[in-house]
Amino acid sequence: GMDKTSGISGAGNNNNRMSVFEPFPMRDTVQHFCEKHLDKIKNYMESVSVKIPLPVKCTIEERKGKKHAKLHFACQGRGEHCLYKVKFYTMKTRHPRTWIHLMFLALQSRSSSALSTRDAGVSSLKNCWEIIKCEEKTFSTLVTGAFPPAKDQDSIIHELSAHRFFDVFEYNAPFLQWGCFLCNHPERASTFIQEEEPVIEGQLKEKSGGKWKIFKKWKSRYFTLSGAKLVYKESKPDGVGVIQSLDVGSIRSVKVSKGGRNIPKAFEIFTADKTYILKAKDSSNAQEWVQCLSVAVAHSQARDTNLQRLGYGGSLGRLTAGAGRINHPTGMYSNVTLRTAV
């Protein structure tokens, strides 16, 4: 009867042995795909990452019952005056499929071995895809399909451009990375920090006057943008100029107006309670103004975020002098789900 008892005592181990027969995922299809196309993915991403920056994470937000994918971009320059030292550049996207696909390929292109859906970064992308449900397509079908073609790449470049992303970020070829304006042009930082020298100045026309659009007239005014203020002179009929000033911190956004015949000479500045419509002498001058304003707004927001972090009251002067010495908070990056910025 010895055999029987050993049989019975062995029954306890049966549970462990059972797992072998469970239908566990045989080589994950995603991993299989990546193994087969490791080099293809690397080459594709090398050409794409020069044109398209990759977000460090994607989150899904729900508003009024609608779900949106929100992208978070980080500056890879991490310089002394970095605009995104303590916060991300965020943007809602209408193209979650292309972005999630590219973010997956980016994760893979930086890994020496094939990733599977068990990888933390991949599984959080999969999660985003399943929550947003913008298409009846499984995550593995999406990421093992054809790479996003030129048409889809153009759509997201257009989206970044409409969001004025390229005013504050650009690809830094020597360093092979996407950096913010001040990391790429540290020599320009002083004009955004000190109030003495203007960042940009010149004659612009402002649309002003009556409540009704038809009665609004374009009036020439001289505008000066310094780090924290946009100042302009209103000339009165008696020749005395009244100086008006707008705090850069109160600007919500800046947009180039779609001009007739597609020559966008006009641009708009939106604050909580007012919209300024301004016209430059030509479209490249308008672009220059919009870029300087975008950088000034990002700089002012970065400074405010620093202020809150450091618990500074009062004097901004003390902060701008010390701004360069604030170390990069590791905390901000340590909880990032998708390290697509390395």
Side-chain angles (χ1 to χ4, degrees), residues 80-98:
E80 187 184 358
H81 298 295
C82 181
L83 295 169
Y84 298 97
K85 221 175 216 174
V86 286
K87 61 197 268 282
F88 293 114
Y89 177 102
T90 58
M91 173 180 103
K92 264 195 222 160
T93 178
R94 291 179 174 187
H95 304 285
R97 177 176 52 95
T98 308

Side-chain angles (χ1 to χ4, degrees), residues 61-128:
E61 291 187 346
E62 190 160 359
R63 226 173 251 163
K64 296 182 183 151
K66 281 193 79 175
K67 295 189 180 84
H68 298 280
K70 192 177 191 183
L71 307 171
H72 305 248
F73 295 88
C75 171
Q76 297 174 319
R78 315 258 182 110
E80 187 184 358
H81 298 295
C82 181
L83 295 169
Y84 298 97
K85 221 175 216 174
V86 286
K87 61 197 268 282
F88 293 114
Y89 177 102
T90 58
M91 173 180 103
K92 264 195 222 160
T93 178
R94 291 179 174 187
H95 304 285
R97 177 176 52 95
T98 308
W99 279 113
I100 289 174
H101 194 172
L102 284 176
M103 287 170 82
F104 166 78
L105 295 170
L107 284 175
Q108 180 54 69
S109 71
R110 275 197 310 274
S111 163
S112 48
S113 58
L115 296 174
S116 77
T117 43
R118 293 182 294 282
D119 172 85
V122 178
S123 100
S124 69
L125 278 176
K126 180 172 187 271
N127 216 3
C128 285

Side-chain angles (χ1 to χ4, degrees), residues 264-282:
K265 288 197 296 193
F267 60 95
E268 292 166 277
I269 299 174
F270 300 91
T271 66
D273 43 27
K274 194 174 171 189
T275 300
Y276 295 82
I277 304 171
L278 303 168
K279 198 156 68 171
K281 58 177 185 290
D282 54 43

Side-chain angles (χ1 to χ4, degrees), residues 111-289:
S111 163
S112 48
S113 58
L115 296 174
S116 77
T117 43
R118 293 182 294 282
D119 172 85
V122 178
S123 100
S124 69
L125 278 176
K126 180 172 187 271
N127 216 3
C128 285
W129 179 250
E130 286 166 0
I131 296 168
I132 198 148
K133 280 198 181 58
C134 56
E135 283 173 39
E136 290 305 315
K137 202 186 239 186
T138 67
F139 179 74
S140 59
T141 307
L142 170 74
V143 300
T144 59
F147 299 158
K151 180 171 68 65
D152 293 353
Q153 294 175 38
D154 290 345
S155 303
I156 65 175
I157 290 170
H158 184 75
E159 177 176 63
L160 286 164
S161 185
H163 204 265
R164 311 302 309 172
F165 178 89
F166 301 110
D167 285 345
V168 286
F169 275 97
E170 58 196 353
Y171 185 69
N172 184 332
F175 290 99
L176 304 173
Q177 65 186 16
W178 284 88
C180 76
F181 181 83
L182 291 187
C183 283
N184 286 336
H185 304 282
E187 74 288 349
R188 294 287 302 272
S190 65
T191 59
F192 288 93
I193 291 162
Q194 296 147 10
E195 312 293 292
E196 291 83 66
E197 45 178 327
V199 172
I200 184 172
E201 58 181 333
Q203 203 83 27
L204 294 171
K205 290 191 161 113
E206 187 193 358
K207 201 168 223 190
S208 61
K211 208 157 79 180
W212 306 102
K213 276 212 168 117
I214 22 177
F215 298 122
K216 292 200 169 187
K217 291 191 171 69
W218 291 99
K219 293 205 170 106
S220 266
R221 306 212 154 117
Y222 196 81
F223 284 78
T224 307
L225 171 68
S226 67
K229 278 191 172 49
L230 177 63
V231 177
Y232 55 102
K233 272 204 185 109
E234 276 188 34
S235 33
K236 288 278 184 285
D238 57 11
V240 183
V242 179
I243 293 177
Q244 300 280 356
S245 98
L246 169 66
D247 185 21
V248 166
S250 69
I251 297 176
R252 293 266 175 95
S253 66
V254 188
K255 288 192 175 64
V256 170
S257 322
K258 292 276 169 278
R261 298 200 315 280
N262 232 352
I263 309 167
K265 288 197 296 193
F267 60 95
E268 292 166 277
I269 299 174
F270 300 91
T271 66
D273 43 27
K274 194 174 171 189
T275 300
Y276 295 82
I277 304 171
L278 303 168
K279 198 156 68 171
K281 58 177 185 290
D282 54 43
S283 78
S284 76
N285 184 237
Q287 293 289 352
E288 199 186 340
W289 268 99

